[in-house]
Amino acid sequence: MTSFSELGLSPKVLSAVADAGYTDPTPIQAGAIPVALERRDVCGIAQTGTGKTASFVLPMLTLLERGRARARMPRTLILEPTRELAAQVAENFDKYGKNHKLNVALLIGGVSFDEQDRKLERGADVLICTPGRLLDHAERGKLLMTGVEILVIDEADRMLDMGFIPDIERIAKMIPFTRQTLFFSATMPPEIQGLADRFLQNPTRIEVAPPSSTAATVEQKVVASGVKDFEKRSTLRSLIDTQEELKNAIIFCNRKKSVADLLRSLQRHGYSAGALHGDMDQHSRTAILQNFRDGKLPLLVASDVAARGLDIPDVSHVFNFDVPIHAEDYVHRIGRTGRAGRKGSAFTIVTRKDVKPLDAIEKLIDRKIDWLDGDLSTLGAEEDEAPKPRTRRGKNADKPAKAPVNDEAKASKAEPAAKKADAEEKVVTRQKSSETRNSKARAANDDRNRSRRRDRDDEPTPVGFGDDIPAFMLIGSKA
Ligand code: AMP
């Protein structure tokens, strides 16, 4: 096996790596670092959790030891799809760059421009940005990209999902053609391959795990549940309560609204939980994440966008409250646990409505996922498929005709389903006013109020380029 000292990194970097306690490079590091140090382009196919961040941060630090930053002319640029990922990359520069005196500027939405302007004015060696905020700075004339020597495009497949590709195209045009580009993506669908072909020059392709694979150390199970939200919430609580090894968990929902609903429900039932979604201000996100990392908050309810790539080394469980709409998201969610060879567990709540997306997931990961306690056929008949009889209107209208198996199993422990449904309804109602407040706060935030799509996770992720098909893809279709 290659050791860090054989990769060509500078002594300062090697010393910081040793201080971080790493003995051997991970496969993506062993593959990408020597190529990056030769100033060649890299196309890295690797998921988070594989040591991908250090695979570009370490060679960048070494290369940046020569030369100095000039005002408003950053030397290197890293594009990340979310603020959290950008902040994590900045933390990596602090950790591995502790022997360097580099100016690292984090340009993300949700924080004021002034501080960011000051950092740019001082001259940044490294700019770490979400695409929207970078373009805002560029449009305000605060940034000259002609000095950028290295461009890193991280999590390219997520950028595509979030509709950021047109922004990235614009940014890439501002950077000299002679730059070095390091491009990373967890999966390589044809659209991403097309982008890589366009952005990279004669790249070295480094693939560390087959795309769409899940770690062998993660125990995966699907759990049958009734389709109603209160039934799913009850199934989730049963799951949480019966997991003896549960230390902490991330619970994924498909929509921001479900994140908020589920959080309130869990808190109401006495669980210590926090939430992470795209509408939270940066300060609250950072505080919640820190509490989760420190173990003060064992449960984190999150949407895909907010949780993408979070570096939380020790998550024991992942619960999918909703089956992800895009099968690749399953791989990303599951990737939050079982990191660095540790054991992890992942449970996905599946209703009759989720048969198709579950099939897509099983196709993608090329295996069947076992059911925890019997498949969907073991549930009672679902009355929601048929129109409701009039007599069931009123406060117990949501009560299932027959309690699902999971609820029955829990019946002795839990309150009656109707009462629970009732309580949940109240929670949702109370939340409405705070959502109105939130939406007003959002409208006031000029960074969010732009037509460009950024840092959003309230809608299903657009497929492909969404409405923003880049010009180069339209060329052939005009005839
Ligand atoms: P990443 O894939 O960049 O999100 O990194 C995942 C985790 O692996 C982070 O907690 C890193 O600190 C850690 N890590 C990175 N490189 C190494 C290494 N060579 N040995 C052990 N852990 C590492």
Side-chain angles (χ1 to χ4, degrees):
M1 183 185 266
T2 328
S3 76
F4 271 112
S5 57
E6 294 165 57
L7 299 179
L9 294 164
S10 72
K12 281 185 189 173
V13 173
L14 286 175
S15 149
V17 166
D19 290 348
Y22 303 153
T23 45
D24 301 305
T26 65
I28 185 73
Q29 292 164 358
I33 291 172
V35 179
L37 286 173
E38 282 176 28
R39 294 218 173 250
R40 280 159 43 208
D41 285 2
V42 168
C43 179
I45 303 155
Q47 301 173 16
T48 49
T50 55
K52 167 173 68 87
T53 317
S55 80
F56 58 83
V57 172
L58 303 181
M60 283 175 80
L61 283 166
T62 299
L63 293 171
L64 282 165
E65 282 175 22
R66 270 167 273 146
R68 281 193 65 234
R70 283 186 284 163
R72 290 188 291 134
M73 289 184 70
R75 298 169 68 197
T76 62
L77 170 63
I78 300 171
L79 295 175
E80 294 288 338
T82 66
R83 302 164 187 184
E84 276 75 21
L85 274 169
Q88 268 171 33
V89 172
E91 281 169 20
N92 271 260
F93 271 97
D94 291 343
K95 180 161 138 190
Y96 306 126
K98 63 184 211 172
N99 303 318
H100 297 73
K101 282 201 177 66
L102 290 178
N103 288 333
V104 177
L106 186 60
L107 303 191
I108 52 178
V111 287
S112 92
F113 279 91
D114 295 351
E115 173 69 11
Q116 297 179 353
D117 282 347
R118 274 195 293 278
K119 285 205 163 162
L120 289 176
E121 200 54 49
R122 239 192 293 151
D125 297 287
V126 184
L127 262 194
I128 308 165
C129 316
T130 47
R133 183 50 77 104
L134 175 78
L135 284 171
D136 284 341
H137 278 282
E139 282 161 13
R140 292 162 77 241
K142 297 283 177 182
L143 202 53
L144 270 174
M145 311 270 259
T146 48
V148 172
E149 298 158 33
I150 304 174
L151 169 67
V152 179
I153 299 171
D154 196 17
E155 302 267 340
D157 51 353
R158 175 53 47 152
M159 300 271 203
L160 174 78
D161 279 351
M162 292 175 71
F164 281 149
I165 300 305
D167 285 355
I168 293 180
E169 299 237 15
R170 286 180 60 202
I171 294 166
K173 278 197 196 117
M174 300 175 187
I175 302 174
F177 182 67
T178 49
R179 66 170 190 258
Q180 176 184 18
T181 309
L182 312 175
F183 184 95
F184 294 89
S185 191
T187 54
M188 217 55 185
E191 299 102 310
I192 293 294
Q193 187 59 57
L195 271 181
D197 293 345
R198 207 170 127 72
F199 286 145
L200 300 170
Q201 288 180 42
N202 195 18
T204 301
R205 185 179 165 113
I206 299 145
E207 188 167 345
V208 296
S212 326
S213 67
T214 48
T217 48
V218 181
E219 177 206 24
Q220 299 174 56
K221 286 270 169 12
V222 277
V223 186
S225 169
V227 291
K228 297 279 166 55
D229 273 358
F230 76 87
E231 294 174 297
K232 290 172 72 176
R233 290 195 279 257
S234 168
T235 305
L236 175 71
R237 292 195 299 274
S238 301
L239 267 173
I240 295 172
D241 294 347
T242 51
Q243 294 304 303
E244 278 171 16
E245 313 238 302
L246 192 143
K247 218 178 107 210
N248 56 359
I250 304 183
I251 305 165
F252 284 99
C253 298
N254 287 353
R255 286 160 196 274
K256 198 165 54 188
K257 169 86 168 67
S258 324
V259 170
D261 288 352
L262 183 59
L263 174 71
R264 297 293 285 259
S265 164
L266 284 168
Q267 288 175 336
R268 216 188 142 78
H269 281 84
Y271 296 87
S272 170
L276 205 65
H277 60 71
D279 259 4
M280 290 162 67
D281 64 62
Q282 191 57 32
H283 180 75
S284 324
R285 291 188 195 208
T286 313
I288 291 277
L289 257 182
Q290 201 50 50
N291 283 340
F292 186 67
R293 281 201 189 104
D294 295 346
K296 291 181 195 148
L297 205 60
L299 300 177
L300 186 67
V301 188
S303 61
D304 289 288
V305 170
R308 174 79 170 209
L310 291 181
D311 180 18
I312 302 159
D314 210 6
V315 178
S316 72
H317 283 66
V318 165
F319 297 108
N320 289 320
F321 182 74
D322 297 312
V323 177
I325 299 163
H326 301 301
E328 307 86 66
D329 282 331
Y330 178 82
V331 179
H332 289 295
R333 292 179 182 187
I334 299 307
R336 308 298 98 221
T337 186
R339 293 183 140 202
R342 290 192 190 89
K343 243 185 89 208
S345 302
F347 293 91
T348 302
I349 296 176
V350 176
T351 73
R352 285 177 201 282
K353 290 192 173 160
D354 303 318
V355 174
K356 262 196 188 163
L358 177 62
D359 278 352
I361 289 167
E362 291 182 330
K363 222 180 248 158
L364 183 78
I365 64 172
D366 200 22
R367 54 169 283 201
K368 284 266 169 216
I369 310 171
D370 292 336
W371 292 93
L372 181 66
D373 299 316
D375 61 20
L376 288 168
S377 68
T378 62
L379 295 179
E382 301 256 357
E383 97 283 13
D384 68 307
E385 304 295 333
K388 280 190 187 117
R390 296 190 79 106
T391 49
R392 288 179 51 73
R393 295 239 160 255
K395 90 172 194 176
N396 289 345
D398 275 345
K399 188 179 170 185
K402 202 170 171 190
V405 168
N406 281 311
D407 284 353
E408 272 172 12
K410 220 197 157 216
S412 60
K413 218 169 166 188
E415 54 197 300
K419 199 171 144 208
K420 274 187 284 177
D422 213 3
E424 306 277 5
E425 286 311 315
K426 282 184 197 142
V427 169
V428 173
T429 318
R430 268 218 309 275
Q431 208 174 297
K432 289 244 159 71
S433 59
S434 78
E435 273 178 3
T436 314
R437 278 200 304 278
N438 283 346
S439 65
K440 278 186 185 152
R442 275 202 306 280
N445 182 341
D446 71 350
D447 183 42
R448 295 280 172 86
N449 216 8
R450 304 282 301 268
S451 58
R452 222 183 279 124
R453 203 183 282 124
R454 322 178 169 160
D455 292 355
R456 282 175 22 177
D457 62 352
D458 50 338
E459 295 158 3
T461 15
V463 175
F465 292 97
D467 293 327
D468 297 308
I469 302 174
F472 78 93
M473 291 200 73
L474 292 172
I475 293 166
S477 64
K478 276 190 182 145

